[in-house]
PDB file of all heavy atoms in Angstrom:
ATOM      1  N   VAL A  24       9.944  22.759 -21.247  1.00  0.00           N
ATOM      2  CA  VAL A  24       9.923  21.433 -20.713  1.00  0.00           C
ATOM      3  C   VAL A  24       9.859  21.493 -19.176  1.00  0.00           C
ATOM      4  O   VAL A  24       9.116  20.761 -18.574  1.00  0.00           O
ATOM      5  CB  VAL A  24      11.133  20.622 -21.194  1.00  0.00           C
ATOM      6  CG1 VAL A  24      11.320  19.405 -20.385  1.00  0.00           C
ATOM      7  CG2 VAL A  24      11.077  20.338 -22.685  1.00  0.00           C
ATOM      8  N   GLU A  30       4.067  21.629 -14.081  1.00  0.00           N
ATOM      9  CA  GLU A  30       2.565  21.470 -14.259  1.00  0.00           C
ATOM     10  C   GLU A  30       2.210  19.942 -13.993  1.00  0.00           C
ATOM     11  O   GLU A  30       1.292  19.640 -13.281  1.00  0.00           O
ATOM     12  CB  GLU A  30       2.092  21.840 -15.635  1.00  0.00           C
ATOM     13  CG  GLU A  30       1.536  23.174 -15.756  1.00  0.00           C
ATOM     14  CD  GLU A  30       1.057  23.529 -17.108  1.00  0.00           C
ATOM     15  OE1 GLU A  30       0.458  22.570 -17.782  1.00  0.00           O
ATOM     16  OE2 GLU A  30       1.277  24.612 -17.582  1.00  0.00           O
ATOM     17  N   ASP A  31       2.997  19.007 -14.628  1.00  0.00           N
ATOM     18  CA  ASP A  31       2.722  17.610 -14.528  1.00  0.00           C
ATOM     19  C   ASP A  31       2.895  17.190 -13.032  1.00  0.00           C
ATOM     20  O   ASP A  31       2.185  16.363 -12.474  1.00  0.00           O
ATOM     21  CB  ASP A  31       3.640  16.801 -15.356  1.00  0.00           C
ATOM     22  CG  ASP A  31       3.286  16.872 -16.894  1.00  0.00           C
ATOM     23  OD1 ASP A  31       2.196  17.363 -17.165  1.00  0.00           O
ATOM     24  OD2 ASP A  31       4.105  16.487 -17.686  1.00  0.00           O
ATOM     25  N   GLU A  36       0.873  15.518  -7.914  1.00  0.00           N
ATOM     26  CA  GLU A  36       0.750  15.660  -6.486  1.00  0.00           C
ATOM     27  C   GLU A  36      -0.724  15.638  -6.070  1.00  0.00           C
ATOM     28  O   GLU A  36      -1.117  15.051  -5.137  1.00  0.00           O
ATOM     29  CB  GLU A  36       1.441  16.927  -6.015  1.00  0.00           C
ATOM     30  CG  GLU A  36       2.897  16.821  -5.868  1.00  0.00           C
ATOM     31  CD  GLU A  36       3.457  18.094  -5.274  1.00  0.00           C
ATOM     32  OE1 GLU A  36       2.774  18.885  -4.569  1.00  0.00           O
ATOM     33  OE2 GLU A  36       4.734  18.298  -5.524  1.00  0.00           O
ATOM     34  N   GLU A  37      -1.577  16.339  -6.879  1.00  0.00           N
ATOM     35  CA  GLU A  37      -2.962  16.418  -6.564  1.00  0.00           C
ATOM     36  C   GLU A  37      -3.600  15.022  -6.627  1.00  0.00           C
ATOM     37  O   GLU A  37      -4.386  14.657  -5.838  1.00  0.00           O
ATOM     38  CB  GLU A  37      -3.667  17.321  -7.647  1.00  0.00           C
ATOM     39  CG  GLU A  37      -5.127  17.555  -7.359  1.00  0.00           C
ATOM     40  CD  GLU A  37      -5.703  18.522  -8.350  1.00  0.00           C
ATOM     41  OE1 GLU A  37      -5.115  19.608  -8.534  1.00  0.00           O
ATOM     42  OE2 GLU A  37      -6.715  18.140  -8.982  1.00  0.00           O
ATOM     43  N   GLY A  51     -17.150   6.437  -8.149  1.00  0.00           N
ATOM     44  CA  GLY A  51     -18.476   5.808  -8.197  1.00  0.00           C
ATOM     45  C   GLY A  51     -18.524   4.422  -7.735  1.00  0.00           C
ATOM     46  O   GLY A  51     -19.493   3.660  -8.011  1.00  0.00           O
ATOM     47  N   LEU A  62     -11.370  -1.088   5.551  1.00  0.00           N
ATOM     48  CA  LEU A  62     -10.019  -1.564   5.382  1.00  0.00           C
ATOM     49  C   LEU A  62      -9.013  -0.347   5.373  1.00  0.00           C
ATOM     50  O   LEU A  62      -7.961  -0.489   5.938  1.00  0.00           O
ATOM     51  CB  LEU A  62      -9.892  -2.324   4.045  1.00  0.00           C
ATOM     52  CG  LEU A  62      -8.495  -3.042   3.829  1.00  0.00           C
ATOM     53  CD1 LEU A  62      -8.140  -3.939   4.987  1.00  0.00           C
ATOM     54  CD2 LEU A  62      -8.509  -3.761   2.530  1.00  0.00           C
ATOM     55  N   SER A  63      -9.403   0.707   4.765  1.00  0.00           N
ATOM     56  CA  SER A  63      -8.540   1.956   4.731  1.00  0.00           C
ATOM     57  C   SER A  63      -8.311   2.409   6.153  1.00  0.00           C
ATOM     58  O   SER A  63      -7.185   2.718   6.512  1.00  0.00           O
ATOM     59  CB  SER A  63      -9.125   3.053   3.935  1.00  0.00           C
ATOM     60  OG  SER A  63      -9.181   2.735   2.567  1.00  0.00           O
ATOM     61  N   HIS A  75      -1.927   6.376  -4.199  1.00  0.00           N
ATOM     62  CA  HIS A  75      -2.033   6.381  -5.664  1.00  0.00           C
ATOM     63  C   HIS A  75      -2.984   5.234  -6.006  1.00  0.00           C
ATOM     64  O   HIS A  75      -2.675   4.083  -5.743  1.00  0.00           O
ATOM     65  CB  HIS A  75      -0.640   6.143  -6.388  1.00  0.00           C
ATOM     66  CG  HIS A  75      -0.782   6.183  -7.811  1.00  0.00           C
ATOM     67  ND1 HIS A  75       0.016   5.422  -8.640  1.00  0.00           N
ATOM     68  CD2 HIS A  75      -1.511   6.943  -8.712  1.00  0.00           C
ATOM     69  CE1 HIS A  75      -0.277   5.590  -9.867  1.00  0.00           C
ATOM     70  NE2 HIS A  75      -1.210   6.494  -9.996  1.00  0.00           N
ATOM     71  N   MET A  77      -5.812   3.020  -8.450  1.00  0.00           N
ATOM     72  CA  MET A  77      -6.151   2.575  -9.794  1.00  0.00           C
ATOM     73  C   MET A  77      -7.463   1.747  -9.687  1.00  0.00           C
ATOM     74  O   MET A  77      -7.671   1.058  -8.766  1.00  0.00           O
ATOM     75  CB  MET A  77      -5.070   1.711 -10.372  1.00  0.00           C
ATOM     76  CG  MET A  77      -3.764   2.514 -10.586  1.00  0.00           C
ATOM     77  SD  MET A  77      -2.499   1.475 -11.283  1.00  0.00           S
ATOM     78  CE  MET A  77      -1.179   2.593 -11.407  1.00  0.00           C
ATOM     79  N   TRP A  78      -8.315   1.880 -10.787  1.00  0.00           N
ATOM     80  CA  TRP A  78      -9.612   1.253 -10.792  1.00  0.00           C
ATOM     81  C   TRP A  78     -10.071   1.073 -12.169  1.00  0.00           C
ATOM     82  O   TRP A  78      -9.528   1.660 -13.127  1.00  0.00           O
ATOM     83  CB  TRP A  78     -10.653   2.036 -10.020  1.00  0.00           C
ATOM     84  CG  TRP A  78     -10.808   3.421 -10.540  1.00  0.00           C
ATOM     85  CD1 TRP A  78     -11.742   3.804 -11.454  1.00  0.00           C
ATOM     86  CD2 TRP A  78     -10.053   4.615 -10.262  1.00  0.00           C
ATOM     87  NE1 TRP A  78     -11.637   5.136 -11.829  1.00  0.00           N
ATOM     88  CE2 TRP A  78     -10.615   5.639 -11.104  1.00  0.00           C
ATOM     89  CE3 TRP A  78      -8.948   4.841  -9.492  1.00  0.00           C
ATOM     90  CZ2 TRP A  78     -10.030   6.896 -11.078  1.00  0.00           C
ATOM     91  CZ3 TRP A  78      -8.404   6.077  -9.504  1.00  0.00           C
ATOM     92  CH2 TRP A  78      -8.958   7.147 -10.283  1.00  0.00           C
ATOM     93  N   THR A  80     -12.121   2.138 -14.851  1.00  0.00           N
ATOM     94  CA  THR A  80     -12.879   3.325 -15.052  1.00  0.00           C
ATOM     95  C   THR A  80     -14.294   3.085 -15.616  1.00  0.00           C
ATOM     96  O   THR A  80     -15.152   3.888 -15.311  1.00  0.00           O
ATOM     97  CB  THR A  80     -12.171   4.323 -15.981  1.00  0.00           C
ATOM     98  OG1 THR A  80     -11.872   3.578 -17.206  1.00  0.00           O
ATOM     99  CG2 THR A  80     -10.842   4.798 -15.357  1.00  0.00           C
ATOM    100  N   GLU A  95       2.753   7.317   7.027  1.00  0.00           N
ATOM    101  CA  GLU A  95       3.802   7.981   7.858  1.00  0.00           C
ATOM    102  C   GLU A  95       3.866   7.360   9.252  1.00  0.00           C
ATOM    103  O   GLU A  95       2.816   7.178   9.869  1.00  0.00           O
ATOM    104  CB  GLU A  95       3.484   9.453   7.944  1.00  0.00           C
ATOM    105  CG  GLU A  95       4.506  10.170   8.766  1.00  0.00           C
ATOM    106  CD  GLU A  95       4.117  11.664   9.012  1.00  0.00           C
ATOM    107  OE1 GLU A  95       3.017  11.880   9.546  1.00  0.00           O
ATOM    108  OE2 GLU A  95       4.991  12.516   8.725  1.00  0.00           O
ATOM    109  N   GLY A  99       9.892   6.784   9.954  1.00  0.00           N
ATOM    110  CA  GLY A  99       9.938   6.496   8.469  1.00  0.00           C
ATOM    111  C   GLY A  99       8.567   6.135   7.901  1.00  0.00           C
ATOM    112  O   GLY A  99       7.640   5.911   8.661  1.00  0.00           O
ATOM    113  N   SER A 104       0.149  -1.897  -0.102  1.00  0.00           N
ATOM    114  CA  SER A 104      -0.562  -2.224  -1.264  1.00  0.00           C
ATOM    115  C   SER A 104      -1.922  -2.803  -0.842  1.00  0.00           C
ATOM    116  O   SER A 104      -1.946  -3.834  -0.128  1.00  0.00           O
ATOM    117  CB  SER A 104       0.200  -3.249  -2.140  1.00  0.00           C
ATOM    118  OG  SER A 104      -0.575  -3.570  -3.242  1.00  0.00           O
ATOM    119  N   MET A 105      -3.026  -2.189  -1.265  1.00  0.00           N
ATOM    120  CA  MET A 105      -4.349  -2.567  -0.784  1.00  0.00           C
ATOM    121  C   MET A 105      -5.226  -2.799  -2.016  1.00  0.00           C
ATOM    122  O   MET A 105      -5.264  -1.954  -2.879  1.00  0.00           O
ATOM    123  CB  MET A 105      -4.899  -1.468   0.083  1.00  0.00           C
ATOM    124  CG  MET A 105      -6.335  -1.766   0.630  1.00  0.00           C
ATOM    125  SD  MET A 105      -6.987  -0.422   1.671  1.00  0.00           S
ATOM    126  CE  MET A 105      -7.640   0.698   0.379  1.00  0.00           C
ATOM    127  N   TRP A 116     -10.644  -8.827  -0.343  1.00  0.00           N
ATOM    128  CA  TRP A 116      -9.656  -7.834  -0.154  1.00  0.00           C
ATOM    129  C   TRP A 116      -8.315  -8.437   0.258  1.00  0.00           C
ATOM    130  O   TRP A 116      -8.264  -9.537   0.724  1.00  0.00           O
ATOM    131  CB  TRP A 116     -10.103  -6.682   0.740  1.00  0.00           C
ATOM    132  CG  TRP A 116     -10.473  -7.176   2.121  1.00  0.00           C
ATOM    133  CD1 TRP A 116     -11.752  -7.334   2.588  1.00  0.00           C
ATOM    134  CD2 TRP A 116      -9.567  -7.471   3.249  1.00  0.00           C
ATOM    135  NE1 TRP A 116     -11.741  -7.720   3.886  1.00  0.00           N
ATOM    136  CE2 TRP A 116     -10.414  -7.820   4.351  1.00  0.00           C
ATOM    137  CE3 TRP A 116      -8.235  -7.442   3.424  1.00  0.00           C
ATOM    138  CZ2 TRP A 116      -9.953  -8.120   5.600  1.00  0.00           C
ATOM    139  CZ3 TRP A 116      -7.754  -7.788   4.691  1.00  0.00           C
ATOM    140  CH2 TRP A 116      -8.562  -8.124   5.737  1.00  0.00           C
ATOM    141  N   VAL A 150      12.115 -15.265   7.258  1.00  0.00           N
ATOM    142  CA  VAL A 150      11.307 -16.025   8.071  1.00  0.00           C
ATOM    143  C   VAL A 150       9.812 -15.626   7.840  1.00  0.00           C
ATOM    144  O   VAL A 150       9.488 -14.437   7.794  1.00  0.00           O
ATOM    145  CB  VAL A 150      11.645 -15.759   9.490  1.00  0.00           C
ATOM    146  CG1 VAL A 150      10.692 -16.493  10.525  1.00  0.00           C
ATOM    147  CG2 VAL A 150      13.126 -16.236   9.805  1.00  0.00           C
ATOM    148  N   GLU A 156      -5.550 -15.334  13.274  1.00  0.00           N
ATOM    149  CA  GLU A 156      -6.545 -14.390  12.691  1.00  0.00           C
ATOM    150  C   GLU A 156      -6.282 -14.143  11.267  1.00  0.00           C
ATOM    151  O   GLU A 156      -6.938 -13.339  10.580  1.00  0.00           O
ATOM    152  CB  GLU A 156      -6.455 -13.004  13.449  1.00  0.00           C
ATOM    153  CG  GLU A 156      -7.079 -13.108  14.851  1.00  0.00           C
ATOM    154  CD  GLU A 156      -6.124 -13.722  15.908  1.00  0.00           C
ATOM    155  OE1 GLU A 156      -4.986 -13.428  15.849  1.00  0.00           O
ATOM    156  OE2 GLU A 156      -6.638 -14.559  16.671  1.00  0.00           O
TER     157      GLU A 156
END
Side-chain angles (χ1 to χ4, degrees):
V24 167
E30 264 183 40
D31 290 345
E36 278 184 27
E37 185 177 307
L62 185 58
S63 293
H75 181 216
M77 297 181 181
W78 60 92
T80 57
E95 179 185 55
S104 177
M105 180 180 84
W116 56 261
V150 174
E156 289 78 44

